[in-house]
Amino acid sequence: MLERISEIQGIGLLHQANGKPFTCKSATLIYADNGRGKSTLATVFRSVSTGDPLIINGCKTIDGTLPAKVNLQFGSGHPVTFQNGAWSEKRPELLVFDADFIGRNVHSGGAVNTEHRKNLLDFALGDPAVTARQAVDKATADAKDASEKVSKLTGELSGHHVGMSIDQFEKLPKVDDIDTKIAELQKRVVAAGNIAAIQARPVPGVVAEPTFDTDGLFEVLGTSLQDIHAEAEKTVKLHILKLGKAGAEGWLSQGRQYSDGVSCPFCNQDISNNDLVSAYQTHFNAAYANLKSRVAEYEQRLINGTADRIVTDFSKGLGVAVAQAKAWLEQVPTQEISFDAAAASASLKAFRDFLTDLVNKKQAAPAEPLGNETDKATAVGLWSQFLAPLQATNATVKNIALLINNYKTQLSGDSVAQLQQQIQILQATKRRYDPLVVTLFTNLTAARKDAKTADTAKKTAREALEALMVAILAKYQTTINALLKKFGASFSIKGMNANFRGNAPRTEYGLLLRGKDVVLEGGPPSFATALSDGDKRTLAFAFFVASTLDDPKLAQRIVVIDDPMCSLDMTRRQHTRTVLKQIRAKAEQVVILAHDAYFIRDLRDAFLKEDKTSPISVFQMAGVSNGYTDFASIDIDKECESVYAQHHRSLNQYANGASSDHKAVSKAIRPMLEGYLHRRFPGLLPKDLLFGQVVILIRDAAVQSPLRHAQNLVSELNEINDYAGQFHHDTNPDADSTVVTPSELKTYVERALEVIYKGSV
């Protein structure tokens, strides 16, 4: 949305116009007398909508010294400027209806020519049709140029594809590292006579990868014995610690085998109720022993399964595979086989250390479960980290073996003649992708593509344009005629269509005026003579409105209309307000420029009637020194006040102490009372009578005359007239020098207002 016309200088009458104090809202109404620069402002908007600086450059202030400059402020304070002869950016969301729109799209000088009909088609159909026509024009020119290039480039290529057609030569696929491949084929030619010796060479094989039963180990670590109580284990451990001898636990375990559970096998004392002996029995039961045995077994598996020799053995096996692969390098170049034994050993040690710590803890407390899911995941991750480089190395060995086996299979089917033919094709391919030839073919392909694209684009664009013309123009005609009817026009358009005569598509339409056909050109009757200026502008406005209301992007548009009431009668004024309300309801913003203050006021009131909270901005373009124009505030209601209303307001303000213009107020008393009486008795008081004569007419009114109802005011009116008359030249030649006494003036002002408000003294 346009937020502010911040500054315009050096353009027409807008020599140094400052619009910063005035905010533009969704409905912006700008009043200006004719010749105050409305059309210049519309021209600025049209220029920024297209980004065309020439539109403004032709409007430089004739007698000004300032360079053309514009500063507009759009949504969120975004500035768009014109200076140094160029716009900072264009704003295509602006749609502008002004005299230039009419002159470009509808008629100029009363005539409708081919250019008008072409431009109207562009406007009516919108951007898609314009784009399609431009594509057709461009494709036609490109096709001609491309055809000439094809012939020229074909001749230049003739010496490079000896032995094959240009199509075969062109389609040869590019081969990377072609010199190496030619050399390989030449080696295969030699190898084809020594197949048996080559086939006997061994092919490298993958090295066996170590395994480890992580699941089994964690099953043992997680095993607990429910009948082994923690307290029993603690008692036995303390007793063993007290003995302080190595192997004490094993000695106690063996001695327990000789006990009958009743008496001690050493001293024959009763042990049936001995807590320490009971703890021995719990600690050294068979399940416990079995668990300890399994823990010891997995400890040994861990030692064996993670020994450093595992990496050493893998490295040795890999050495054999590397030696076997090197033996094939001359025939089958392959990638290097790499393996970091030190890194693998470090990864294996990390895995071993992590599990050793868990096993040691299990041995210290076999009855307690160890190794949760997190520990297991860590162990699996460490083992995968160790195993990954071994697997990657084996994948490399496997890929090398595949290449060698493919070569052996290929070698068995090689023939010298076929290999030599492949060499010839590769040599032709090498010529095909010589930089000079590549450039020639690139240019040839571009020329062919340009010709094909141009033909396709021309056909597609024309078909699209024809489809648009059929659908949109029919709808456009219906909408325009509906608008013309509501505008009260006595004519309509008929037969709206388009054709491709001449260099570009254009509209065709006729007019129907009071049942008679009116042609655009020729005649009589013709467009130039049959329609009034108001009719012609109404037709142009209908064209603009029909397209604007049908614009799918209208919600993002800023619609600018310059003097919509120019040359329109009252019937069209009313419907113009209706149309502007419709546009405002759909557009993001409307900007109306008008020289008719009453139209501005009525349009504002119409907008507010639709929505009392509607954001509306009203200001004017007013004359300043040297005949230039600047933006200024305006009270549109005051501007549209009648003389009677102005006098009435002046007296009210004085009576309320809001005015001190004694002279002006003193001169307003009598005309206000005259206005009051003329409004109270419309048609009964001749307008050419002086105020005193009007009072006499009322005084002498017959009984049947409505004027007799004001006879109660005659005395008061005479007294007020005696006072007020001294300030008017018709009754006092020295009126200008008459002194006004404020307190006396206020009394008579209040008396005059009392007459109006009460109708009595």
Side-chain angles (χ1 to χ4, degrees), residues 35 54 106 127 137 257 281 299 482 491:
L54 297 178
V106 186
D127 295 340
D137 295 341
Q257 298 175 12
Q281 292 173 340
E299 178 187 23
F491 64 93

Side-chain angles (χ1 to χ4, degrees), residues 643-658:
V643 174
Y644 171 73
Q646 291 174 6
H647 291 153
H648 190 281
R649 176 172 50 80
S650 178
L651 266 64
N652 257 306
Q653 289 175 346
Y654 191 82
N656 294 324

Side-chain angles (χ1 to χ4, degrees), residues 626-641:
N626 297 321
Y628 296 139
T629 295
D630 199 358
F631 296 104
S633 59
I634 184 174
D635 186 333
I636 199 67
D637 292 308
K638 285 186 180 180
E639 191 73 23
C640 297
E641 274 184 337

